[in-house]
Amino acid sequence: MVAIDVGEVILILVLVIIVAIILSGIHILKEWQRAPVLTLGRYTGLKGPGLVYVTPIISKITVVLSTRIQAVAFKTESTFTQDNVPVNVDAVMYFQIIDPDKAILNVENYAAATQLAAQTTLREVLGKSSFDEILSEREKVGEAARQIIDEKTEHWGVKVSSVEIRDVLVPQTLQDAMSRQAAAERERRSRVTLALAEVEAAGKMVDAAKQYANNPTAFQLRWMDIVYQIGLEGKGSLIMIPQNVPTVGDTSQFFTATALNNILSKSTGNVGNSTISGSKP
């Protein structure tokens, strides 16, 4: 049997522990990661990216920072606008660490502090804006909030690049009122459009009347065309017209109902039993 020396076993264990402690100081950081190092409790600088070594026991890495742009979603609960309208706003903030030293030394948790600053700032901005501005000028409201948040987080080494409003939630009663207002506005626009069309049509009719006044024959042909179109609308229709068809210029020129019936019977053979009854005006 081979005698086992206890001293050698202890020495091997000690060497293994020493090697493990030495190797524990090796760290691999990604390209966008930075690691603050504390030596005996004092901040001694940043490490990374790549392969870094930190003296075990004496120095340690407390947290690993990311220098990439980070997105945080947040919202405000029951915020009142300048015109006392209650709204709930959902927003997204994009920020990035530009000074890791300040992010470590000046604030305990830069991510949580930045999110809380964004919530309080957005409430302040909404309180200074009207409800219509929040709905129609979201970019303007978001930019105003971004500037204020960026000023607050500048001392933390954080740069806020954008604040975007995703959604504006309003009470159901206010939504119903807005729907009625929108419907009333559409009705108003349709009536204005119809009135403008009537004005334009009246102007065209005045122009046509002037042309008919200079050409009585054209007016009589137009009258006959109207009667013809009425006759095409259905079978067995009874059309009441004056005995003397209106004329322009010389009042002695007119068409009688009998003459119109003869014309219609010749030109509209497929109309059916359409007749024109004459009556004296």
Side-chain angles (χ1 to χ4, degrees):
M1 295 180 65
V2 179
I4 299 177
D5 188 352
V6 178
E8 292 181 355
V9 173
I10 295 175
L11 180 60
I12 293 173
L13 291 176
V14 171
L15 291 176
V16 171
I17 294 174
I18 292 175
V19 172
I21 293 174
I22 294 174
L23 294 178
S24 65
I26 299 176
H27 299 273
I28 298 177
L29 300 179
K30 298 178 181 179
E31 182 65 30
W32 57 85
Q33 292 180 333
R34 301 293 184 272
V37 179
L38 297 178
T39 303
L40 297 177
R42 295 181 63 86
Y43 177 72
T44 56
L46 294 172
K47 295 288 187 178
L51 181 65
V52 299
Y53 184 79
V54 178
T55 304
I57 301 176
I58 299 176
S59 302
K60 66 177 181 178
I61 296 175
T62 58
V63 66
V64 176
L65 303 179
S66 175
T67 58
R68 294 183 296 182
I69 296 178
Q70 303 179 43
V72 176
F74 64 97
K75 62 181 179 180
T76 59
E77 298 291 345
S78 300
T79 302
F80 285 89
T81 62
Q82 188 178 20
D83 46 357
N84 296 325
V85 177
V87 294
N88 296 335
V89 177
D90 291 340
V92 179
M93 175 180 60
Y94 299 90
F95 67 92
Q96 182 182 18
I97 296 177
I98 58 175
D99 193 340
D101 294 337
K102 292 182 179 180
I104 291 298
L105 300 177
N106 295 349
V107 62
E108 183 175 356
N109 188 334
Y110 70 90
T114 303
Q115 183 176 358
L116 292 175
Q119 289 180 343
T120 56
T121 300
L122 185 59
R123 291 175 67 94
E124 294 175 2
V125 174
L126 294 177
K128 298 178 181 179
S129 304
S130 64
F131 180 68
D132 293 337
E133 290 177 351
I134 296 174
L135 293 179
S136 60
E137 301 180 2
R138 295 187 180 185
E139 295 182 358
K140 180 180 178 180
V141 175
E143 178 61 21
R146 186 204 67 80
Q147 293 179 0
I148 299 176
I149 299 171
D150 191 43
E151 293 177 359
K152 293 181 179 180
T153 60
E154 182 180 0
H155 303 290
W156 304 338
V158 176
K159 175 66 176 179
V160 179
S161 59
S162 176
V163 175
E164 299 179 0
I165 297 177
R166 295 192 302 177
D167 192 15
V168 179
L169 303 178
V170 298
Q172 185 63 39
T173 55
L174 185 58
Q175 292 184 17
D176 296 339
M178 294 172 60
S179 299
R180 291 193 298 269
Q181 180 183 3
E185 178 64 21
R186 289 193 295 269
E187 181 66 19
R188 184 189 68 84
R189 292 180 181 178
S190 64
R191 292 188 178 185
V192 170
T193 303
L194 181 60
L196 293 176
E198 291 289 341
V199 172
E200 184 177 357
K204 296 298 182 181
M205 289 182 179
V206 171
D207 295 338
K210 293 179 179 179
Q211 295 184 8
Y212 289 142
N214 298 327
N215 194 337
T217 304
F219 178 76
Q220 294 173 357
L221 293 176
R222 176 57 179 163
W223 175 259
M224 293 179 61
D225 182 70
I226 293 175
V227 175
Y228 174 76
Q229 295 296 331
I230 295 175
L232 292 178
E233 291 181 357
K235 297 181 179 181
S237 59
L238 181 63
I239 304 174
M240 302 296 295
I241 63 172
Q243 179 68 25
N244 295 335
V245 178
T247 59
V248 177
D250 188 4
T251 57
S252 62
Q253 298 178 5
F254 61 89
F255 290 103
T256 63
T258 303
L260 288 174
N261 276 322
N262 295 332
I263 295 174
L264 284 175
S265 61
K266 294 179 180 180
S267 60
T268 59
N270 58 348
V271 172
N273 298 327
S274 299
T275 59
I276 299 177
S277 299
S279 62
K280 294 183 180 181

